[in-house]
Amino acid sequence: MAIRTSGGNSRISFRELTIETKERTPRAPVLHKGCHLAYEIQGAGPPAVFIQGVGVHGPAWVPQIDALAKNYQCLSFDNRGLGRSLPLGSRLSVEQMAEDTLALMDAQGWPTAHLIGHSMGGLIALHIALSARARVKSLSLLCSFPRGRDAARLTPGMIWTGFRTRIGTRAQRRRAFLEVVMPASALKASEKARLAADLEPLFGHDLADLPPVTIKQLSAMARYDATPRLHELAGLPTLVVSARHDRIARPEVGRAMAAAIPDARFVEIPDAAHGAHIQRSAFINALLMKHFE
């Protein structure tokens, strides 16, 4: 992947991903429950709301938004307590973050929107679909799960990798983080430092550092379980996308979630991990476009 900046625009390329990103002007934050929710809108057309996962800022949706904004009005934002959405303001929960998302839709006067969630963002999107079904035009769950504890399964490999993201030199912590979000085939030893630097603008922080709110987000996620209610989503167009090498949102969990949602479509991407929406953006963007239609 490479990011080159010129004038206010940047060019991002990673295998199939080649995107000209436009200079963005953030909107005035929306104050909700003690937090100034920071967001951006790009494009024109039917509304689409992109909800991010743990410790990741809204700009990580750039690979999707720069492609889909040709046909859709795309809203992305920093979740409560992260990036420019400060202060935390209230106890963090999936329910509160779902309410935040609806507050942003209300501020735009959007009665409905396509919802796209990655990882924890998928849990947030699920809660909106279950609690405010009429607001959801379609549901797209990328590398996600219906129960937060499913993402915290402590296998020896995950314990060791998680430990390495918190100790050692900054370069070592970056390399450990990359092993979580990218498949081994994408991680050539000589290119890891460059890849970590290239991903930093998308994730919103140096990959060696976890944002302070991360622990609170993980705790909120672990308390939420939509599994018993998935059948209630019958009739709602739902796309579930998993990555074969995802150690957080394991593909068997995604497959079971899709099976529990009547008529949901399930797609597994062979050579990808938890960062599939970045690594395989062109493929995922095509899936989203078809799903929205």
Side-chain angles (χ1 to χ4, degrees), residues 3 174 178 191-202 207:
I3 301 179
R174 292 183 192 111
L178 286 173
E191 298 178 356
K192 287 183 180 179
R194 189 184 70 181
L195 178 57
D198 289 343
L199 288 175
E200 182 178 331
L202 294 182
L207 302 191

Side-chain angles (χ1 to χ4, degrees), residues 98 102 105 110-115 124-139 224 229-238 260-264 291:
L102 290 172
M105 289 176 58
W110 293 351
T112 63
H114 299 285
L115 294 190
I124 298 168
L126 274 172
H127 184 74
I128 296 171
L130 290 168
S131 62
R133 169 70 172 267
R135 307 295 301 272
V136 184
K137 193 167 185 179
S138 75
L139 189 62
Y224 191 80
R229 300 185 60 192
L230 293 178
H231 66 279
E232 297 176 26
L233 300 177
L236 178 63
T238 302
I261 300 173
D263 299 320
H291 183 57

Side-chain angles (χ1 to χ4, degrees), residues 1-281:
M1 180 173 179
I3 301 179
R4 297 183 292 280
T5 302
S6 176
N9 295 343
S10 62
R11 183 176 179 84
I12 301 174
S13 61
F14 181 80
R15 292 189 179 179
E16 70 193 64
L17 168 60
T18 301
I19 298 171
E20 289 287 351
T21 65
K22 301 176 178 64
E23 187 173 12
R24 290 168 169 76
T25 302
R27 303 294 181 102
V30 171
L31 178 60
H32 183 64
K33 296 286 183 72
C35 179
H36 295 273
L37 298 169
Y39 71 102
E40 296 178 357
I41 294 179
Q42 184 178 337
V49 178
F50 294 80
I51 312 171
Q52 216 18 286
V54 171
V56 183
H57 296 206
W61 287 114
V62 163
Q64 279 65 56
I65 291 173
D66 279 0
L68 273 60
K70 299 169 185 175
N71 300 288
Y72 296 91
Q73 193 172 11
C74 302
L75 185 153
S76 61
F77 62 100
D78 295 342
N79 279 312
R80 174 180 293 265
L82 182 72
R84 294 178 292 114
S85 289
L86 296 171
L88 183 61
S90 65
R91 182 172 184 262
L92 204 62
S93 67
V94 168
E95 292 85 350
Q96 179 60 68
M97 290 183 280
E99 188 179 315
D100 292 341
T101 307
L102 290 172
L104 289 172
M105 289 176 58
D106 290 342
Q108 311 316 310
W110 293 351
T112 63
H114 299 285
L115 294 190
I116 308 94
H118 177 264
S119 195
M120 179 187 73
L123 281 184
I124 298 168
L126 274 172
H127 184 74
I128 296 171
L130 290 168
S131 62
R133 169 70 172 267
R135 307 295 301 272
V136 184
K137 193 167 185 179
S138 75
L139 189 62
S140 299
L141 308 172
L142 313 180
C143 295
S144 193
F145 29 78
R147 181 172 59 181
R149 285 184 298 167
D150 289 337
R153 190 177 64 125
L154 296 179
T155 64
M158 280 300 292
I159 292 172
W160 174 237
T161 302
F163 186 62
R164 289 168 49 230
T165 63
R166 292 170 172 80
I167 65 166
T169 66
R170 300 185 68 78
Q172 288 170 334
R173 300 203 303 271
R174 292 183 192 111
R175 288 196 293 268
F177 187 92
L178 286 173
E179 291 174 14
V180 175
V181 298
M182 294 290 173
S185 60
L187 297 178
K188 295 181 180 179
S190 62
E191 298 178 356
K192 287 183 180 179
R194 189 184 70 181
L195 178 57
D198 289 343
L199 288 175
E200 182 178 331
L202 294 182
F203 281 79
H205 58 85
D206 189 321
L207 302 191
D209 302 316
L210 294 178
V213 76
T214 297
I215 299 302
K216 289 185 173 65
Q217 288 182 326
L218 289 171
S219 178
M221 193 173 73
R223 295 193 302 269
Y224 191 80
D225 183 7
T227 307
R229 300 185 60 192
L230 293 178
H231 66 279
E232 297 176 26
L233 300 177
L236 178 63
T238 302
L239 171 68
V240 178
V241 179
S242 294
R244 186 166 300 171
H245 302 291
D246 192 339
R247 296 192 290 167
I248 296 175
R250 303 185 312 281
E252 60 267 27
V253 173
R255 189 178 298 108
M257 176 168 63
I261 300 173
D263 299 320
R265 182 187 179 196
F266 176 73
V267 177
E268 180 176 318
I269 305 176
D271 190 22
H274 200 58
H277 67 299
I278 296 172
Q279 181 203 358
R280 298 295 307 278
S281 63

